[in-house]
Amino acid sequence: MNENPAAPAPPPNAGSGCCGMGCATLLALIVFFAIAFFGGGLWAVHHYKHKYTSPEPMTLPNQETSEEPDADAGAARATPVAVRQTETDWKAFEKAGKRNEKARIALSAEEINSLLQDNKDAQVSVTIDNNVARVRFSMALKNVPMLKGRYLNGEGTVKASADGDPGKAEISNVILSGENVPDSVIDQRFLGMKSLRSVISDWLDKRNIQSFQIENNTVIGETRGD
């Protein structure tokens, strides 16, 4: 996602799948916490638990679809028809990547949000301004031992590299529960495990994504192919 799901980030069945860099960023953050908790002992668990997680989810902009788009709504909305078309386009893009076929997809922040809106385990909201994506998220940590009932609330920015290499995308300004997280954590290895950048790269490789760009406030992805 120096690399963070939004953008867009992530991506699964329709409505709950990961899109763009958003989910990759969230996955990287979860890996970071899991390593920190298990590698640092009980004191570290307690310290990180109360510093970087919250007992309540964060309220994000409403991402529900509507039959009649509301121009005065605080967050972008999409009609059901538009959502279904976006889901169809994303599935076709994923299938092309798995088949090693060349494909291209362009998604606005509204379309990315429509793909992520029905995720039951995490709320994600993406906005794009001046070709920089801002990913806000609130994720239930119900499957993380000793953190059940807690939430990972935060945000980060994603900026594509000049050459479109997904592995060089800059993920920065990461904030968790109001606390700044050093950008350098993306490249650090913990207990001999892969760095978070490597985790994100693996996610991209599995989907055969070769290019990630943000142009005219639109996320553009391309798969490798003959």
Side-chain angles (χ1 to χ4, degrees), residues 86-155:
T86 300
E87 291 172 348
T88 298
D89 292 344
W90 176 254
K91 288 180 179 179
F93 179 74
E94 282 195 312
K95 287 181 180 178
K98 292 178 181 178
R99 296 171 180 171
N100 196 34
E101 298 173 350
K102 194 72 174 177
R104 182 180 187 273
I105 193 169
L107 298 169
S108 66
E110 177 184 356
E111 290 169 329
I112 292 170
N113 287 332
S114 73
L115 288 171
L116 298 170
Q117 66 180 347
D118 292 330
N119 194 316
K120 297 180 180 179
D121 296 323
Q123 297 181 59
V124 183
S125 176
V126 177
T127 57
I128 304 175
D129 185 38
N130 293 323
N131 292 330
V132 176
R134 180 190 181 198
V135 182
R136 301 177 64 198
F137 53 87
S138 182
M139 176 179 289
L141 299 175
K142 60 183 181 180
N143 294 322
V144 181
M146 304 181 72
L147 288 178
K148 292 182 179 179
R150 305 288 294 187
Y151 293 84
L152 186 63
N153 301 326
E155 63 179 76

Side-chain angles (χ1 to χ4, degrees), residues 7-224:
N13 54 30
S16 63
C18 295
C19 175
M21 295 295 293
C23 285
T25 299
L26 296 180
L27 174 61
L29 290 172
I30 286 295
V31 172
F32 162 64
F33 278 104
I35 295 172
F37 293 146
F38 289 112
L42 292 178
W43 179 88
V45 172
H46 180 80
H47 176 71
Y48 285 109
K49 175 179 179 179
H50 291 281
K51 184 174 183 179
Y52 291 120
T53 70
S54 303
E56 300 292 337
M58 178 171 64
T59 301
L60 298 180
N62 188 353
Q63 298 172 17
E64 293 181 356
T65 60
S66 64
E67 295 292 346
E68 297 295 333
D70 183 358
D72 297 325
R77 292 173 141 192
T79 65
V81 173
V83 170
R84 286 194 293 271
Q85 183 59 55
T86 300
E87 291 172 348
T88 298
D89 292 344
W90 176 254
K91 288 180 179 179
F93 179 74
E94 282 195 312
K95 287 181 180 178
K98 292 178 181 178
R99 296 171 180 171
N100 196 34
E101 298 173 350
K102 194 72 174 177
R104 182 180 187 273
I105 193 169
L107 298 169
S108 66
E110 177 184 356
E111 290 169 329
I112 292 170
N113 287 332
S114 73
L115 288 171
L116 298 170
Q117 66 180 347
D118 292 330
N119 194 316
K120 297 180 180 179
D121 296 323
Q123 297 181 59
V124 183
S125 176
V126 177
T127 57
I128 304 175
D129 185 38
N130 293 323
N131 292 330
V132 176
R134 180 190 181 198
V135 182
R136 301 177 64 198
F137 53 87
S138 182
M139 176 179 289
L141 299 175
K142 60 183 181 180
N143 294 322
V144 181
M146 304 181 72
L147 288 178
K148 292 182 179 179
R150 305 288 294 187
Y151 293 84
L152 186 63
N153 301 326
E155 63 179 76
T157 58
V158 182
K159 183 178 181 180
S161 66
D163 62 3
D165 184 345
K168 298 178 183 176
E170 179 183 343
I171 299 176
S172 58
N173 303 313
V174 180
I175 299 174
L176 299 175
S177 295
E179 297 286 341
N180 291 317
V181 177
D183 295 345
S184 59
V185 73
I186 297 295
D187 296 299
Q188 293 177 1
R189 292 169 59 89
F190 298 89
L191 303 177
M193 299 183 69
K194 291 183 177 181
S195 69
L196 306 188
R197 187 180 298 279
S198 295
V199 173
I200 294 172
S201 294
D202 289 346
W203 185 91
L204 293 166
D205 286 340
K206 288 180 179 179
R207 286 155 182 79
N208 221 7
I209 297 177
Q210 174 178 274
S211 175
F212 164 74
Q213 297 175 314
I214 304 179
E215 298 178 357
N216 299 321
N217 289 336
T218 299
V219 173
I220 301 172
E222 293 184 355
T223 61
R224 301 181 185 90

